[in-house]
Amino acid sequence: MSVTAQHASDVGPTVRVLLADDQHLVRTGFRVILEVEDDIEVVGEAADGERAVSMTRATRPDVVLMDVEMPGMDGLEATRRIVADGPGAPAVLILTTFDRDDYLFAALRAGASGFLLKNGTPEELVEAIRVLARGDGLLAPEITRRVISTFARPGDPAGTAYRGPDAEAALAELTPREREVLMLIAAGSSNAEIAATIHLGEATVKTHVSRVLAKLGLRDRVQAVVFAYENGVVRPGG
């Protein structure tokens, strides 16, 4: 059993993963990393976005590991199409080299549930897949800082999908406690950290998080971070 496989019980059933990257050696490397884990199964590989979409629909993975730059249909369009399949669609984990802000925010709007830097460690990749399989979103700390710095630039057009009267009305539906939870999510706090901050049990915090996402019409914590900054719930440096 691998060192990281000891956390398998945190996920439960085997996590089915589809690899989408145009470089064969990259896909092979990911497969080698993942297949030593007792709770992760690689169900397929795709070298372009169109194939990623069709294989996702055929194999029904829990998580799609998605590159951005691929021939033909890129990873952003593939993500949009996968997420558009609605309830039951897998979570998409975007791999980014972080040199294109427009890719990052386009992926956010497309509905990606997680972002990971390509220079991360194998352990970080495995943990990210497990996090998404549990239904949570994930932003690497470096990417969270980039999101925050972008919203700190006045007039920056990045990501406008969550603004407007509907967002204001949805925010008005939150209780004071739920609004506090949203602020802590936007700060990058985990459920355990939120529980310690506001002196509640983790199960209660999880319920609050679920209600926040439902009331705001958001898929996961990643979208909650963007929503909070776009709508002034929190501000960079605040």
Side-chain angles (χ1 to χ4, degrees), residues 22 29 37 65 80 150 219 232:
D22 63 333
E37 302 299 325
L65 190 58
R80 278 188 286 271
T150 296
R219 178 185 172 101

Side-chain angles (χ1 to χ4, degrees), residues 52-216:
V53 174
S54 64
M55 289 195 67
T56 295
R57 291 169 177 167
T59 62
R60 308 304 297 174
D62 301 298
V63 178
V64 177
L65 190 58
M66 184 76 74
D67 187 25
V68 174
E69 294 186 344
M70 294 186 288
M73 182 188 299
D74 65 19
L76 300 177
E77 179 60 27
T79 298
R80 278 188 286 271
R81 297 193 184 192
I82 289 170
V83 173
D85 283 344
V92 177
L93 176 61
I94 294 285
L95 289 176
T96 176
T97 55
F98 222 17
D99 54 2
R100 292 283 300 272
D101 279 357
D102 55 340
Y103 281 177
L104 171 59
F105 288 97
L108 279 168
R109 291 192 293 271
S113 294
F115 297 84
L116 198 66
L117 301 182
K118 279 194 171 181
N119 62 0
T121 67
E123 291 78 12
E124 288 171 339
L125 174 62
V126 169
E127 182 59 22
I129 288 171
R130 290 191 178 123
V131 167
L132 266 63
R134 292 196 294 265
D136 294 327
L138 178 142
L139 283 175
E142 296 89 342
I143 296 178
T144 300
R145 287 194 290 270
R146 180 64 62 90
V147 171
I148 293 170
S149 67
T150 296
F151 286 115
R153 296 195 291 266
D156 195 297
T160 58
Y162 310 122
R163 293 177 182 157
D166 290 344
E168 294 177 9
L171 277 170
E173 294 295 318
L174 298 183
T175 66
R177 178 65 84 187
E178 289 166 351
R179 193 178 183 95
E180 184 178 15
V181 168
L182 175 59
M183 294 172 68
L184 290 168
I185 292 173
S189 299
S190 66
N191 283 357
E193 291 167 337
I194 294 174
T197 299
I198 60 179
H199 309 293
L200 292 175
E202 284 192 52
T204 302
V205 168
K206 186 174 182 180
T207 298
H208 281 311
V209 171
S210 296
R211 288 175 178 169
V212 167
L213 297 179
K215 288 183 178 181
L216 299 180

